[in-house]
Amino acid sequence: MGTGDSPTLITSVQRAFRLLEAVSAHENGAPAKQLARETGLPLATAYHLLRTLVHDGYLRKLDDGGFVLGDRLQTLHTAGRGQALLSRVRPTLAALRDELAAAAYLTFYEEGEIRVAEIVDGPRAPRVDLWVGFEDAGHATALGKSVLRELDDEARKDYLSRHHLADLTPRTITSTPELLRRLDSSPVAPAVTDLEEYSLGTVCIAVPVYSGGILGSLGVSVPADRLSRIEEIRARLLPTADRVTRSLSLTI
């Protein structure tokens, strides 16, 4: 792209933003002529930009010819809100990492899947090698098992019906009845552990958290030779999880 193109492109972006702002001021939509007048744009320019914005999903054209905001903007708003929420808890996760010298993880149960939202690690607290995605390893990770423990019977059954209990290490639980039995009888409840079930040489412990009504889990991973510190780690995780839940549940 030549440098001579830049001013034209920047101007087009500015004009598109002006149109979006004008459309947002009209709950029931506004026609192109009105939007062009309100933004001070030539009608032909307004038409061109409006068509582009409709094509990309940022605007929607009504049957009466008016324009309203499109679904793409709602998607951006939702994603931005998620980023803002995570920014609130990163300092808490970093403090947990530094205090325990352990990588800290945050997951959420969304659309029937257990997904990693954030990992805070460092030179003294390396993350576990994520050689199998958490979406396919909920049965073998403390983070996943924490979520499964909190789900009701129907949601648990649904999740397990869609996910094979793969044998990731010799310690992985691959029997559904045995997995459920251990979830319901965790000796460190409400925390759960992964004792080299996902990766040999690494143990993890996790506890539940919530972002409003969305279930998640907060956990840390440490070398297996630190297993004797599990109770100490649990004692630190529980109040941190409460703090994370409060931060995530505040209205933005």
Side-chain angles (χ1 to χ4, degrees), residues 5 19 34 116 158 176 184 210 216 237 242:
D5 295 331
L19 280 171
Q34 181 178 351
V116 178
D158 172 69
T176 296
D184 292 332
Y210 289 86
L237 270 177
D242 288 341

Side-chain angles (χ1 to χ4, degrees), residues 136-181:
D136 297 317
H139 66 294
T141 65
L143 292 153
K145 291 195 287 183
S146 176
V147 169
L148 290 173
R149 185 179 186 276
E150 298 301 310
L151 292 176
D152 60 35
D153 289 341
E154 183 176 351
R156 255 193 215 173
K157 185 181 297 184
D158 172 69
Y159 178 88
L160 293 172
S161 71
R162 295 182 287 105
H163 295 82
H164 173 62
L165 304 189
D167 186 5
L168 303 183
T169 79
R171 296 177 177 270
T172 306
I173 303 169
T174 57
S175 162
T176 296
E178 178 64 12
L179 175 65
L180 295 176
R181 185 190 71 78

